[in-house]
Amino acid sequence: MSKKLSIWQMTPPQILVLGFAVIIFVGAGLLTLPFASATGKSIPFIDALFTATSATCVTGLVVVDTGSVYTMFGQIVIVSLIQLGGLGFMTMATLLAIMFRKKITLKERLVLQEAFNQGSIEGIVRLIRKVVIYSLSIEAIAAVIFTIRWSFDLGFSKALYFGIWHAISMFNNAGFDLFGTVDAPFVSFTGYANDFVVNFVAMALIVLGGIGFVVMADLMEFRKTRKLSLHSKVVLSMTGTLIVAGALIIFIFEYTNNRTLGSLDLGGKILASFFQSVAPRTAGPNTVDIGALRQASQFFIVILMFIGASPGSTGGGIKTTTFTILIAAIVTMIRGKEDIVIFRYRLAKDRILKAITLTMLALFLVITVTMLLSTTESAQLLKILFEVTSAFATVGLTMGLTPDLTTFGKILISLTMFAGRLGPITLAYALQPKQEKELYRYPEGKITIG
């Protein structure tokens, strides 16, 4: 009774942290089973834990190749963790409760509010229904298209398996793939750099999974309402801007690089540029060798990864809305205005403070982990920074460092993925002691800035 009471008294952030941790350790236990490994021997627990963390946190960083090291059982465990981690364990629990006509309690609604980063619990159960319907529908459509396309290369049964598996992985922005072999591991989608169908479907899945379920609901209801919320306008405009700008910059930097875009025709160059611009939206697959990109491109991708996807989505990073608020704050300060205005709406100060807090916590996490790994791993600073940012933003892109990580490095990157999936602020709320109401305020002071 006391244990039940203690769990019931946990805050929503603490419940989310505990829930994800339990799923990760259960997944790691399943992946260590001998029949999860292609060799029939148990995979080392640290590698299984890393893989389970990466799958549950929908990242995509791997220390062993998914396609060649794991059996079908292991692969199904991984894709199940991806689906559970992408939609959220509370979403799945709520779905089961709805199916069995169980009442959703206030506590459960508060946890869902925290999980989807919503301002209130109003309409949260209705949102969950939409999330599940939209997600499964999009994944099903993509799986059919993938199956038809890959039937020409793999045969129908394998194409069907690959179609369903990769539709789930791409929509949840996980970045895991099964195309690696014993002789050619970690190849991702490089064999389809010129394939329009595979590229377009994968990019569509990544974008739809990354814009957030609230925006998707807004878009689905646009025919009726004929309007979009401020949140949706900000997400869609910034997502489009980052994708186009990213593709243009990668196209320019890599145009003459024979190890990446240089060997492709003009259409292939454009397609690969857009894919490498969309992938850092926290997805992880790649159609060109990321390690072969010029350093300018690699550093630019670090910036794209740090920004990440949008709130209430399957992606990570500081989020497009946070980045928009920061840019708007800079513009407002330069213009000498008092209020930050976006699309003719004035932003409340608590939104601005939260954006600054989230960004600073994320920067502190990335810098700290990068400094620690630079002392334990034999790699260049940019390579380590790329890996850490990819882990924090739950992207999964890599310059090839992950398989060579030390045990300490694997643990640290796993913790970074965990923090990135839950969000620095949620994690901070979960770890802090119970808040007490302030009984007084200090006098206002002034500090010179700039």
Side-chain angles (χ1 to χ4, degrees), residues 103 112-113 123 138 141 154 175 205 212 340 367 414:
K103 185 178 180 181
L112 288 168
Q113 177 191 347
I138 292 169
I141 294 170
L154 309 173
L205 286 170
I340 296 178
I367 291 170
S414 294

Side-chain angles (χ1 to χ4, degrees), residues 214-232:
V214 175
V215 178
M216 288 171 58
D218 251 13
L219 291 173
M220 295 298 289
E221 294 176 2
F222 182 74
R223 286 185 177 182
K224 297 179 181 178
T225 61
R226 308 304 298 176
K227 65 178 182 178
L228 294 173
S229 65
L230 173 63
H231 172 80
S232 296

Side-chain angles (χ1 to χ4, degrees), residues 20 23 54-59 78-89 91-92 115-116 131 135 139 168-169 171-174 209 213 312-315 421:
F20 271 98
I23 292 169
S54 184
T56 307
C57 298
V58 290
T59 304
I78 290 170
V79 82
S80 299
L81 291 174
I82 291 171
Q83 187 74 286
L84 194 57
L87 296 182
F89 71 94
T91 302
M92 305 306 288
F116 283 90
V131 165
S135 299
E139 289 172 355
I168 294 172
S169 179
F171 177 73
N172 287 286
N173 282 209
F213 299 112
S313 71
T314 57
R421 178 64 182 96

Side-chain angles (χ1 to χ4, degrees), residues 251-262 269 294:
F251 181 83
I252 293 171
F253 286 164
E254 298 299 319
Y255 189 86
T256 57
N257 186 351
N258 290 326
R259 297 172 64 195
T260 56
L261 302 187
K269 285 182 172 69
R294 293 191 168 108

Side-chain angles (χ1 to χ4, degrees), residues 352-422:
I352 302 162
L353 290 174
K354 187 172 183 179
I356 295 171
T357 302
L358 174 58
T359 304
M360 293 307 297
L361 286 174
L363 276 173
F364 178 77
L365 176 64
V366 170
I367 291 170
T368 302
V369 176
T370 300
M371 290 175 64
L372 289 173
L373 288 181
S374 66
T375 63
T376 62
E377 312 301 318
S378 300
Q380 295 179 339
L381 183 62
L382 178 58
K383 200 171 187 179
I384 295 172
L385 176 64
F386 193 101
E387 211 80 5
V388 173
T389 308
S390 180
F392 160 73
T394 68
V395 177
L397 288 175
T398 178
M399 290 171 60
L401 177 62
T402 306
D404 300 324
L405 287 171
T406 61
T407 300
F408 176 79
K410 291 174 183 177
I411 294 171
L412 201 53
I413 290 293
S414 294
L415 291 173
T416 305
M417 290 188 288
F418 187 73
R421 178 64 182 96
L422 289 166

Side-chain angles (χ1 to χ4, degrees), residues 156-336:
F156 179 74
S157 58
K158 189 173 182 179
L160 178 62
Y161 176 61
F162 270 47
I164 296 172
W165 207 97
H166 288 91
I168 294 172
S169 179
M170 294 302 106
F171 177 73
N172 287 286
N173 282 209
F176 280 82
D177 71 272
L178 301 178
F179 289 103
T181 62
V182 175
D183 298 322
F186 310 113
V187 296
S188 193
F189 281 35
T190 52
Y192 294 94
N194 274 310
D195 193 301
F196 178 79
V197 174
V198 173
N199 277 256
F200 180 79
V201 175
M203 286 191 288
L205 286 170
I206 294 166
V207 172
L208 289 173
I211 59 176
F213 299 112
V214 175
V215 178
M216 288 171 58
D218 251 13
L219 291 173
M220 295 298 289
E221 294 176 2
F222 182 74
R223 286 185 177 182
K224 297 179 181 178
T225 61
R226 308 304 298 176
K227 65 178 182 178
L228 294 173
S229 65
L230 173 63
H231 172 80
S232 296
K233 289 179 181 178
V234 170
V235 167
L236 293 172
S237 58
M238 182 53 69
T239 298
T241 300
L242 289 173
I243 290 174
V244 174
L248 182 61
I249 291 174
I250 292 171
F251 181 83
I252 293 171
F253 286 164
E254 298 299 319
Y255 189 86
T256 57
N257 186 351
N258 290 326
R259 297 172 64 195
T260 56
L261 302 187
S263 59
L264 303 174
D265 57 28
L266 182 59
K269 285 182 172 69
I270 295 172
L271 198 59
S273 297
F274 270 98
F275 195 93
Q276 264 55 238
S277 178
V278 170
R281 316 302 307 140
T282 82
N286 55 284
T287 56
V288 299
D289 183 1
I290 299 298
L293 294 171
R294 293 191 168 108
Q295 287 191 347
S297 302
Q298 291 170 343
F299 187 74
F300 178 70
I301 289 176
V302 167
I303 297 172
L304 290 179
M305 291 192 298
F306 186 76
I307 297 169
S310 302
S313 71
T314 57
I318 64 170
K319 305 296 192 294
T320 53
T321 49
T322 301
F323 183 66
T324 302
I325 291 173
L326 295 177
I327 296 297
I330 294 171
V331 173
T332 300
M333 181 63 68
I334 292 174
R335 294 177 61 187

Side-chain angles (χ1 to χ4, degrees), residues 107-127:
K107 186 75 172 185
E108 292 166 340
R109 292 171 191 265
L110 289 171
V111 177
L112 288 168
Q113 177 191 347
E114 181 69 31
F116 283 90
N117 200 17
Q118 295 299 294
S120 70
I121 62 173
E122 183 182 357
I124 193 71
V125 176
R126 188 165 61 251
L127 175 63

